[in-house]
Structure formats: structure tokens, C-alpha cells
Amino acid sequence: MTPLLEVDGLKKHFPIRKGFFSRASGSVYAVDGVSFSIGRGETLGLVGESGCGKSTVGRTVLRLLEPTQGTIKVAGQDITQLDSQDLLPYRRRLQMIYQDPYASLNPRMTAGEIVGEPLLVHDLGAPEERKERVAALFERVGLRPEAVNAYPHEFSGGQRQRIGIARALSLKPELIVGDEPVSALDVSIQAQIINLLMDLQDEFKLSYLFVAHDLAVVEHISHRVAVMYLGRIVEMTDKRSLFEMPLHPYSEALLSAVPIPKSSARGRKRVILTGDVPSPINPPSGCHFHTRCPYAMPRCKTEVPALREVIPGHLASCHLHDGGVRSPLAAAS
Ligand code: SF4
């Protein structure tokens, strides 16, 4: 079956301009060759530290940013080069939920107007039908009917995120990109929003690209997880394989920091990452992770490890596995 979303070799480089003539003096390699697919009704969690390019992937997939290279297909149709007119039907099918529900909601519009705006923009339904649809959406995401007349500042953070979700749902999308949609919320509210997203996925067969820096959040909602480091995916597999047997030292380090008791990562040797993520303007040669990897070998500085299937369904990009599967921690002992 054709996946709903196929991304192949996606790159997004931002030119850095300097001087009076704004000459390009370099690039930020925010996304540097990323490939993945998402099936219908599936959630792919995209995880990594701040600045690794995960949010840029989400925005580029939706064509909110223009890709530098690579292809984006929706249900087998290449949308990479479509102009704004031809892209319009896909804008309905692909929606976004933002990290900061307050900043993403127009403070001068009522919640009802915010949720109904996409219907208006796409000229869908008569005014009365739009009103009914908005009311149904409010009910579905757990907002009181009278809240349609309130303004964003009158809601709590969790309620504002429900407004953002209702707005994203208004056009009956097939794929929603969640850009850290629960990161700004209290932990108890996070669970409510994640449960709501999972219920909506079951009900509407939605697919999610769920961008997060928190592996505990991703473990709960994702079917598969892709781990990103400095613009590249370094490991991708189903969540169980990742949590039980991470094959990339970076994933191992992220997992060893997960504080949740039910995680199978508990009891693992703790791997403390030293240093910050290097700049995406001048990323390290070879394996981007070699400057922080406790298992780096001389070849890691010069040879880029390919993202390949180390065991069935489990992809990793690390020279440690060139001679077969090897647990990163075992390699160090
Ligand atoms: Fe570490 Fe080398 Fe593997 Fe990169 S390729 S993660 S530096 S061991």
C-alpha cells in the first residue's frame, strides 16, 4: 500500500547573507538528506535536541518552507514543485499543530472564528454549516460550546492547544504535523492532549508526524521513531525496538536520560553527552556525532556512516555495526 507521506533525500539549507550586497557567505545545513515514510493511521515520532532540524523537517514537508533538495510525496503524488494554486488541495490534507498555542492563535479573533477560519479561507460550506462544524469540533476536542465567543487569552494553555487541534481538524486532514505540541504544557495536561490526539487518530485514521525533544512523550504516542542529529536521521525503527535496543550511541544517550519508570531504558548505564550540539553552519566531518561520541573511532572523522538496515526494520547510521549488530554500550566495555 502506498504510504500517505514519502520523503526522500530532503534537504533544507538556509543561506547566510553578509555585507552590503547580501552575498551568500555560507549555509545553515538545517536538514541534510532525510528520508522516511508515514502510513495511514501511523505516527512517526521525530526526536532530537534543540537545533537538530526536526521542526524544519515538519515545516518543509508541509511546504511552509521550500525544500533545497529532495522529494515529498502525498499518497504517491509528488508535491515538491507544485505552485501555490496546485498545492491548495494538499494544504487541506496536511495540517499543523504548533508548540505555542498562544503565539499561534490570533488574539483579536474569538476561538470560534479561529477554528472556522480555514473553512472560510477554503470557501467550504454556508455560514450556518460552518457554525455547526465549529460547534461539533469544539465538542469533539473537549471545549465548552459557549467558548466559541471567548478570546485566546481567556483560555488555559491546554485549552488553547485544544483550539489549535480543532482548527487543524476543521478541514478533515489526513496528516497532521505536531511541532512539539505538548512541550509548553504541564505534564498532567500533556497526557490529556496526547490522549486526545490518539483518540482522534483512531476516529479519523489520522497520520501524525510528531516532532518532540522528549522521548517519554514520543514513546507514548508513536508507532515508529526517527532520531535526528544535526540535520540527519541517525536511527529509525518501531518504538519498541528503539527503547529495548538502541543501535546508535546518540539514541542510547537520549534514552539513558529518560526518567520515566515504565521505560525499558531504565537500569541502563547512564551515558552523559558532553558538549553542545555543534553548529549546523559548520557541522563536523564524517559522522556528525563524532565530536561527542564516547565510541568514536578514527574513521568516524572522515567517513559518513550510511543509514542502513542493521536488523530487519531497524535502521541506524553508525560504523560500530559494520561487522554486524553491536550494542553501543557493549562496544565500550
Ligand atoms: Fe560514534 Fe563513530 Fe558510530 Fe558516529 S559512526 S556514532 S562517531 S561510533
Side-chain angles (χ1 to χ4, degrees):
M1 193 174 172
T2 308
L4 178 62
L5 178 72
E6 293 167 274
V7 175
D8 189 25
L10 188 71
K11 293 187 180 182
K12 179 62 191 174
H13 300 165
F14 297 96
I16 304 167
R17 303 197 180 276
K18 274 190 186 158
F20 186 72
F21 295 105
S22 297
R23 285 206 186 91
S25 64
S27 292
V28 177
Y29 299 94
V31 179
D32 207 20
V34 160
S35 303
F36 61 87
S37 62
I38 303 179
R40 287 180 193 277
E42 187 186 33
T43 300
L44 177 71
L46 191 58
V47 189
E49 288 165 286
S50 161
C52 72
K54 56 192 189 302
S55 294
T56 307
V57 169
R59 282 158 203 263
T60 311
V61 159
L62 297 186
R63 292 273 319 269
L64 300 174
L65 294 170
E66 289 305 321
T68 306
Q69 203 176 307
T71 56
I72 304 156
K73 288 183 183 172
V74 175
Q77 299 297 310
D78 191 340
I79 66 159
T80 324
Q81 304 294 336
L82 293 184
D83 61 28
S84 52
Q85 193 59 34
D86 291 338
L87 199 58
L88 215 52
Y90 292 97
R91 294 240 180 265
R92 284 170 58 178
R93 295 168 72 176
L94 315 171
Q95 290 290 309
M96 183 131 182
I97 303 171
Y98 295 89
Q99 176 180 3
D100 183 346
Y102 193 64
S104 63
L105 304 179
N106 186 336
R108 284 181 287 275
M109 291 169 75
T110 65
E113 288 167 345
I114 289 169
V115 172
E117 190 184 33
L119 298 169
L120 201 61
V121 169
H122 287 265
D123 198 21
L124 296 174
E128 204 49 42
E129 289 168 328
R130 287 200 288 267
K131 216 171 156 184
E132 282 169 19
R133 173 109 183 101
V134 168
L137 285 165
F138 266 58
E139 189 185 345
R140 185 59 198 88
V141 301
L143 289 166
R144 287 171 291 105
E146 60 273 22
V148 289
N149 296 318
Y151 288 86
H153 72 270
E154 298 175 68
F155 294 92
S156 67
Q159 287 170 330
R160 286 197 289 261
Q161 197 53 291
R162 287 174 196 269
I163 297 171
I165 293 168
R167 180 182 163 98
L169 283 177
S170 65
L171 295 173
K172 301 185 179 168
E174 292 161 69
L175 175 96
I176 293 181
V177 174
D179 185 12
E180 304 244 14
V182 297
S183 303
L185 305 174
D186 291 346
V187 175
S188 60
I189 308 295
Q190 282 187 359
Q192 290 174 16
I193 297 295
I194 285 176
N195 287 336
L196 172 64
L197 288 171
M198 291 170 76
D199 288 348
L200 294 169
Q201 179 169 54
D202 282 348
E203 192 173 334
F204 301 116
K205 269 269 163 263
L206 287 166
S207 304
Y208 292 136
L209 174 62
F210 195 95
V211 175
H213 64 268
D214 188 340
L215 268 167
V217 167
V218 163
E219 182 187 20
H220 195 61
I221 195 168
S222 304
H223 298 103
R224 286 185 300 128
V225 180
V227 179
M228 264 189 93
Y229 188 78
L230 266 185
R232 297 174 182 163
I233 289 177
V234 296
E235 182 159 6
M236 182 159 55
T237 186
D238 64 90
K239 73 171 170 191
R240 192 169 166 182
S241 300
L242 180 77
F243 278 74
E244 285 181 358
M245 191 170 66
L247 295 179
H248 195 282
Y250 179 58
S251 312
E252 184 78 29
L254 289 184
L255 273 166
S256 75
V258 172
I260 52 173
K262 84 182 203 350
S263 167
S264 53
R266 263 184 98 227
R268 287 180 191 276
K269 180 179 161 187
R270 188 156 165 78
V271 183
I272 309 285
L273 281 181
T274 53
D276 295 327
V277 183
S279 166
I281 297 172
N282 190 18
S285 58
C287 172
H288 284 349
F289 190 54
H290 82 254
T291 53
R292 300 170 82 198
C293 180
Y295 319 115
M297 305 167 273
R299 64 183 291 209
C300 301
K301 291 186 183 171
T302 53
E303 293 176 42
V304 179
L307 182 67
R308 61 186 184 82
E309 196 166 37
V310 178
I311 48 178
H314 196 148
L315 286 77
S317 64
C318 176
H319 295 310
L320 282 176
H321 306 297
D322 285 356
V325 186
R326 215 167 154 201
S327 157
L329 289 179
S333 56

